[in-house]
Amino acid sequence: MATTIERSKLPLSMSYGKKALAEAIGTFILVFAGTGAVMVNNISQGAITHLGISFVFGAVVAALIYSLGHISGAHLNPAVTLALWQGGLFPKKQILPYILSQLLGASLASACLLFSLGKVANMGATLPLNNNWLQSLILEFILTFILMFVILGAAVDKQANSSFAGLAIGLTVALEAAFMGPITGASMNPARSFGPALIGGIWQHHWVYWVAPILGAQCAVWTYKILSYSDLQK
């Protein structure tokens, strides 16, 4: 999920552009499928179910890792991009293009869903249960810590068997969405929360879904470096 491959045959700027485009497309697909499932579940009066929505999120993440990992690293998440940079695994000059691409992709996905399905189910926006922002802040921190820890252990660590990285990361997303989705929305991803918030105009406690995932992912990098015998540096 986080193994970026440079293409020496392309000009460096073009290579960066293709990576950013891949991030935009990937995040579009993630938000379109995931929040689309939330909206269709509402329209169909629960035909997909909560567990079905969790499966959709996990499955699309796994599919995108296998299809885009060799192009951009398939971050699809500003918290992941920032954590990899903090860990010395991602160049600083690519941070802004990646994050802007992720936010653009998420916003376009939500705009397409609004046009095609209407403004239902809060556009799949992530909102704390009963407006309990502190509860969601703590839980989103822990959820993102777990997700980033799995990313490091399954895809980034040089000793990892990365062949199963997509499956491991996708299952982690599905699992966390299944058991914490009803409480926090199980975002773990500022871009996933930003798209529906922007297009739906739903900004209540939105900052939680930036602060908690970013801090959780950063903490996971620090912790993994303490535990791992291998060097995570490039």
Side-chain angles (χ1 to χ4, degrees):
M1 182 170 183
T3 306
T4 305
I5 299 176
E6 299 290 349
R7 296 187 175 186
S8 58
K9 294 182 180 180
L10 294 173
L12 200 55
S13 59
M14 185 183 297
S15 179
Y16 287 169
K18 289 196 173 190
K19 290 174 184 177
L21 179 59
E23 286 294 303
I25 293 172
T27 313
F28 176 96
I29 295 171
L30 168 62
V31 174
F32 185 81
T35 62
V38 174
M39 296 169 70
V40 171
N41 188 60
N42 179 272
I43 294 170
S44 62
Q45 299 180 337
I48 298 179
T49 74
H50 171 65
L51 288 179
I53 293 169
S54 302
F55 170 79
V56 170
F57 270 110
V60 73
V61 166
L64 290 170
I65 290 170
Y66 287 122
S67 58
L68 295 176
H70 60 290
I71 299 175
S72 69
H75 297 187
L76 316 175
N77 184 338
V80 171
T81 298
L82 289 170
L84 292 174
W85 165 71
Q86 183 270 328
L89 298 159
F90 190 73
K92 183 177 180 180
K93 58 187 173 183
Q94 291 190 52
I95 293 175
L96 188 59
Y98 262 53
I99 292 178
L100 290 178
S101 297
Q102 292 156 1
L103 298 180
L104 176 62
S107 300
L108 289 175
S110 291
C112 287
L113 290 169
L114 176 63
F115 178 77
S116 57
L117 300 177
K119 192 174 182 180
V120 298
N122 289 323
M123 301 297 300
T126 47
L127 296 165
L129 181 66
N130 299 323
N131 286 317
N132 190 340
W133 63 266
L134 181 59
Q135 180 186 62
S136 288
L137 182 72
I138 295 170
L139 293 176
E140 284 288 328
F141 174 92
I142 296 171
L143 291 175
T144 314
F145 176 93
I146 295 170
L147 175 61
M148 191 68 211
F149 198 84
V150 172
I151 291 171
L152 293 169
V156 177
D157 195 317
K158 295 174 182 177
Q159 297 183 20
N161 182 358
S162 59
S163 299
F164 296 98
L167 182 61
I169 296 165
L171 285 174
T172 301
V173 170
L175 174 67
E176 295 189 318
F179 78 86
M180 277 302 174
I183 307 297
T184 73
S187 173
M188 302 166 276
N189 183 341
R192 177 261 179 269
S193 292
F194 179 81
L198 177 66
I199 302 302
I202 304 167
W203 297 105
Q204 296 95 315
H205 308 298
H206 180 68
W207 63 272
V208 168
Y209 298 97
W210 281 86
V211 173
I214 290 173
L215 292 181
Q218 300 277 321
C219 189
V221 172
W222 298 330
T223 304
Y224 195 88
K225 280 187 171 183
I226 294 172
L227 297 177
S228 178
Y229 288 105
S230 63
D231 183 8
L232 289 178
Q233 299 288 330
K234 286 181 178 180

